[in-house]
Amino acid sequence: GAVVSQHPSWVICKSGTSVKIECRSLDFQATTMFWYRQFPKQSLMLMATSNEGSKATYEQGVEKDKFLINHASLTLSTLTVTSAHPEDSSFYICSARVSGWRETQYFGPGTRLLVL
Amino acid sequence: GQNIDQPTEMTATEGAIVQINCTYQTSGFNGLFWYQQHAGEAPTFLSYNVLDGLEEKGRFSSFLSRSKGYSYLLLKELQMKDSASYLCAVMDSNYQLIWGAGTKLIIKP
C-alpha cells in the first residue's frame, strides 16, 4: 500500500509553545490529506480536511486559529498546534487519500504530543 | 444522521474464527473500509468493499450487503498478534469517511 510518513513521532513541549507536525506521502501524490486526533481509548476524531493549494476545511468544534493547517504541495501537509496547552496532549494522525476508484486513506504512524 | 455501529469489544481464542459486524446508515455510499489499529499505533488498511459479496485476503475476509447496510470482517486462524481494535468506516456521498468507534478484539491463548 501507499506510504505516509509523519514527523516527529514524539513531541514534549511546554505550555504556550507551538508545535509543527509534518505529514508526507512518500510514493504518491495526495490532493487530499486528513488530520485526526485520538485520545486514549477513544475513536478517531477528524479535525480537518486539507486540500492542496486551498484552505483546510475544519470540523465543527475545531479552532482553525489554534490548529493551523498548510497543504503546500501534493506530498506535504503540516499541522501547527499554536500556544499548546496540556489539554492538547493527544495522538495526532494524518492520512492521505489515494485518488482512484478506491479512494483509500492511508495513515501516517502518528505523532504523540505531550504538553507540560 | 450518519451512524456506524459495531460491537465495543469481542473475545476469541487463538486459532479460532471471529466475525466482527458493522451496520451503517449514511448519506450515500461510496464504499466500506476496515482498518486495524494496534494499541498506540495508527490504523492500517485491511479491506475495501463497494460491491455486495465477500472479498477474501488471506486470513481476513470482508463481506458487504448494501441493501442491509451491513458488513462483517471475518478473521480466521486467529493469532495473538490479531489482538487490536478493528475500525469500520463508510465513505459517504461526499467521499468523506464516517468512522465507527471500533471493536476491541481480545485474543486468548
Side-chain angles (χ1 to χ4, degrees):
Chain A
V3 179
V4 177
S5 72
Q6 231 177 293
H7 177 80
S9 55
W10 265 102
V11 180
I12 301 175
C13 68
K14 292 182 179 179
S15 184
T17 60
S18 293
V19 176
K20 180 187 280 190
I21 303 170
E22 291 187 350
C23 177
R24 293 181 185 271
S25 55
L26 297 185
D27 53 359
F28 66 100
Q29 294 183 329
T31 53
T32 305
M33 289 186 173
F34 304 86
W35 287 96
Y36 292 86
R37 181 167 54 182
Q38 187 175 38
F39 293 104
K41 297 185 179 181
Q42 294 187 21
S43 59
L44 289 170
M45 291 174 48
L46 179 64
M47 298 175 68
T49 301
S50 167
N51 291 296
E52 186 265 338
S54 63
K55 291 183 179 180
T57 303
Y58 290 82
E59 295 299 301
Q60 194 171 9
V62 179
E63 300 173 57
K64 62 180 181 180
D65 294 330
K66 180 171 181 62
F67 298 99
L68 301 178
I69 292 172
N70 183 24
H71 195 153
S73 75
L74 288 172
T75 59
L76 173 65
S77 176
T78 60
L79 168 67
T80 301
V81 184
T82 61
S83 187
H85 291 282
E87 58 266 29
D88 298 324
S89 298
S90 187
F91 189 37
Y92 292 86
I93 314 171
C94 74
S95 71
R97 187 160 72 194
V98 178
S99 296
W101 74 281
R102 288 195 169 198
E103 299 285 336
T104 301
Q105 284 189 33
Y106 291 92
F107 286 85
T111 297
R112 293 206 174 279
L113 171 63
L114 177 61
V115 185
L116 302 175
Chain B
Q2 310 206 88
N3 195 47
I4 311 284
D5 284 318
Q6 52 182 130
T8 304
E9 187 174 296
M10 298 182 71
T11 303
T13 305
E14 189 177 16
I17 300 173
V18 71
Q19 177 176 310
I20 303 174
N21 296 324
C22 171
T23 57
Y24 63 89
Q25 289 179 310
T26 57
S27 56
F29 180 83
N30 279 302
L32 185 143
F33 298 80
W34 283 97
Y35 286 82
Q36 180 191 60
Q37 186 177 25
H38 284 102
E41 298 180 10
T44 56
F45 170 76
L46 287 179
S47 68
Y48 170 79
N49 293 70
V50 69
L51 300 176
D52 290 349
L54 187 68
E55 296 258 353
E56 296 185 74
K57 191 187 295 184
R59 293 188 299 115
F60 293 5
S61 301
S62 56
F63 171 83
L64 174 67
S65 169
R66 288 171 296 171
S67 62
K68 295 181 180 178
Y70 168 70
S71 172
Y72 67 73
L73 181 69
L74 190 72
L75 291 76
K76 303 176 184 176
E77 301 169 19
L78 285 170
Q79 302 175 8
M80 297 303 292
K81 67 178 181 179
D82 297 329
S83 292
S85 286
Y86 291 85
L87 311 176
C88 173
V90 173
M91 184 167 285
D92 68 10
S93 56
N94 294 319
Y95 292 93
Q96 299 300 314
L97 274 182
I98 312 301
W99 291 90
T103 298
K104 183 179 180 181
L105 178 62
I106 300 169
I107 309 296
K108 295 185 175 180

